[in-house]
Amino acid sequence: MALWMLNHLSTFVLTLLMVGSIVLIAVAGSALARRRFPRLAEGEHNEMVGVVLGMFGAIYGIILAFVVVTLWTQLDHTQTVVSQEATDVSLVVRATRSFPPEERARVDKAVGEYVHAVVEVQWPKMREGRPSFAATSRQLGEMYDALQAYDPPTPRDQAFYGEAVTRLNDAAAMRRERINIATNELPVLLQVLVYGGAVVIILLTFLYGLRSLKMQFLFVATVAGLIGFSLLLVLVLDRPFAGDLTVSSQPFKESSLSRFWPQGALGSP
């Protein structure tokens, strides 16, 4: 459900839907609590509730900050991994320029099939939460086959050949890391702490009584809105290949790899 919303709704619409729903539910819950327990408006338990709310809020804030920083670091690392993989594949193409035309064409063909499989097959699978090593396994094997079929005769050719093999090995390692990242999600325990903690904080606001109904609703809505935005941020950052804030496949269409794409496709994500 979360992936469907990220992939089919804009960030603006998702913000209105998620944050708005949390605020409305919180305000409605507060109204029901005041109707069921009218004495809450007198604020006789405010001192105790304030202490508990402050303590829980501090603990929840630390947990939430840890989760957001971790997910943001993961997103930044994922972008680096994708760029590095594309760079390594691009350098394979550059290193094979000294090869004989027939051998170079064989490598170029294998590289072209690989980058198209990554962008057109593997990326949509990762976006849908179904990352697959098999989507590019054959194409990766063909790149290795293309290099292994060539026996460089001169020290110069051997040097470039060694560079191409090294870069291909690095690209294979980055590919594995990229797909592993796409399979990772926030651990269940942290999900319970983040989402369960949000529920506890909002419920505690119901117990903090204010005589003014408008001020009560404003207090509850403000806390619920802040929590809603925080949960939205966690939801978006936890899935780096889905939604508007997604890691782009554009590096696989740039530099030496641009030759494998029609000119009009170079600006697409």
Side-chain angles (χ1 to χ4, degrees), residues 40-251:
L40 286 176
E42 299 176 6
E44 60 180 306
H45 303 299
N46 281 3
E47 184 176 351
M48 180 192 69
V49 173
V51 172
V52 175
L53 187 59
M55 181 181 67
F56 272 74
I59 296 173
Y60 182 71
I62 293 173
I63 294 172
L64 192 60
F66 168 76
V67 170
V68 170
V69 169
T70 300
L71 293 177
W72 182 264
T73 303
Q74 175 183 283
L75 177 64
D76 184 64
H77 176 65
T78 304
Q79 293 173 331
T80 301
V81 167
V82 169
S83 296
Q84 186 60 54
E85 180 187 357
T87 298
D88 288 330
V89 175
S90 176
L91 290 174
V92 170
V93 175
R94 290 182 181 274
T96 57
R97 287 179 177 175
S98 65
F99 289 12
E102 182 179 348
E103 306 297 336
R104 186 170 65 248
R106 183 183 295 114
V107 174
D108 284 352
K109 180 176 182 296
V111 170
E113 291 181 354
Y114 177 76
V115 296
H116 274 273
V118 167
V119 174
E120 297 171 351
V121 180
Q122 199 164 57
W123 224 266
K125 288 181 177 293
M126 294 191 299
R127 185 175 177 85
E128 296 167 3
R130 301 183 294 108
S132 169
F133 283 96
T136 53
S137 293
R138 179 182 63 81
Q139 291 82 0
L140 180 64
E142 288 178 352
M143 287 197 292
Y144 274 105
D145 291 342
L147 288 178
Q148 291 167 355
Y150 177 51
D151 185 15
T154 66
R156 175 176 176 273
D157 290 338
Q158 290 171 4
F160 281 106
Y161 179 84
E163 174 68 12
V165 172
T166 298
R167 291 299 181 176
L168 182 54
N169 288 334
D170 292 342
M174 292 296 101
R175 165 184 172 270
R176 175 169 291 276
E177 185 169 0
R178 168 174 55 81
I179 298 174
N180 284 336
I181 291 173
T183 62
N184 293 335
E185 289 186 359
L186 198 65
V188 175
L189 180 58
L190 282 179
Q191 289 188 36
V192 171
L193 287 173
V194 169
Y195 295 106
V199 173
V200 171
I201 297 294
I202 292 175
L203 289 177
L204 283 173
T205 62
F206 296 173
L207 303 179
Y208 196 86
L210 295 172
R211 293 189 181 278
S212 171
L213 185 61
K214 291 183 179 179
M215 292 302 297
Q216 177 78 39
F217 287 169
L218 179 62
F219 169 65
V220 172
T222 301
V223 175
L226 180 60
I227 289 177
F229 276 109
S230 301
L231 295 182
L232 176 64
L233 185 59
V234 171
L235 178 68
V236 170
L237 293 179
D238 192 31
R239 293 160 177 81
F241 294 102
D244 291 343
L245 191 64
T246 181
V247 177
S248 173
S249 62
Q250 189 62 29

